[in-house]
Amino acid sequence: MNVSELLRLLQTEHDETAARADHLREQIERLTTDLAETEARLAELAATRKVIDGLTPPDHAAAPAETATVYQRIVTTFNEHPGKVFRVRDLHEHLGLPTDEPSINVTRSRLGRLVRQGLLEQPGRGRYQKRT
C-alpha cells in the first residue's frame, strides 16, 4: 500500500466520521429542543395543579375508596340483572345498604350520574335499569 492510497483511505474514513458527527449533533439539537419543550410543559402542569389546589376548598377531599366500590357494586348489579328494573330502595336492599333517606338520596344521585353517562336508563320515575 502506498502513501497516496493510505491518505485516500484516511480521508474517506475522516469524511464518514465527520458526517456521523454532524448527524449526532443534529440529533442532540433536536433532543435538546424536545427536552426544553417537555420541561416547560411539566412546569405549566405543575403551576396549573398548584393554582387548582389553591382554589379548591380545604374541605374538598377526594372521594373515599368505598364510593368507587359502591359504584362498582351498583354497575355489577345492573350487569347481572340486565332486564330488571330497580327502584332505589330495592337496589339498597339487594346490595345490603342502609335504607335511611339520606343514603337513598346519595344512591339516587349516583344513579342519575350513571344515567347521564349512558350506562343506565330511567324507564319511569324512580326506576332504573341497564341501558340496552
Side-chain angles (χ1 to χ4, degrees):
M1 182 181 297
N2 63 29
V3 173
S4 61
E5 190 177 324
L6 183 59
L7 287 173
R8 184 184 55 76
L9 289 173
L10 281 172
Q11 185 61 47
T12 302
E13 188 172 342
H14 176 271
D15 293 345
E16 290 171 356
T17 305
R20 177 152 169 72
D22 288 342
H23 177 71
L24 290 171
R25 284 186 199 98
E26 290 171 4
Q27 281 184 321
I28 289 170
E29 224 174 281
R30 268 195 316 274
L31 290 172
T32 302
T33 301
D34 288 350
L35 178 61
E37 290 171 357
T38 301
E39 287 176 338
R41 180 65 180 148
L42 282 172
E44 290 172 356
L45 292 170
T48 301
R49 181 179 184 93
K50 187 175 181 179
V51 168
I52 291 171
D53 283 345
L55 295 174
T56 306
D59 62 352
H60 177 74
E66 64 202 36
T67 302
T69 305
V70 171
Y71 272 108
Q72 290 170 350
R73 289 175 61 200
I74 290 171
V75 171
T76 300
T77 299
F78 281 101
N79 286 337
E80 290 172 351
H81 308 283
K84 184 169 181 175
V85 176
F86 283 96
R87 295 184 69 79
V88 181
R89 191 169 301 278
D90 299 335
L91 182 64
H92 264 247
E93 290 171 0
H94 180 79
L95 294 173
L97 297 172
T99 55
D100 59 284
E101 204 54 39
S103 296
I104 296 285
N105 287 334
V106 168
T107 299
R108 191 173 286 119
S109 175
R110 289 176 177 146
L111 292 171
R113 285 188 204 107
L114 292 171
V115 167
R116 288 189 298 277
Q117 291 172 357
L119 297 170
L120 302 179
E121 60 186 8
Q122 204 171 359
R125 184 174 175 172
R127 301 178 192 282
Y128 300 90
Q129 75 180 50
K130 181 174 172 65
R131 175 162 275 167
T132 55

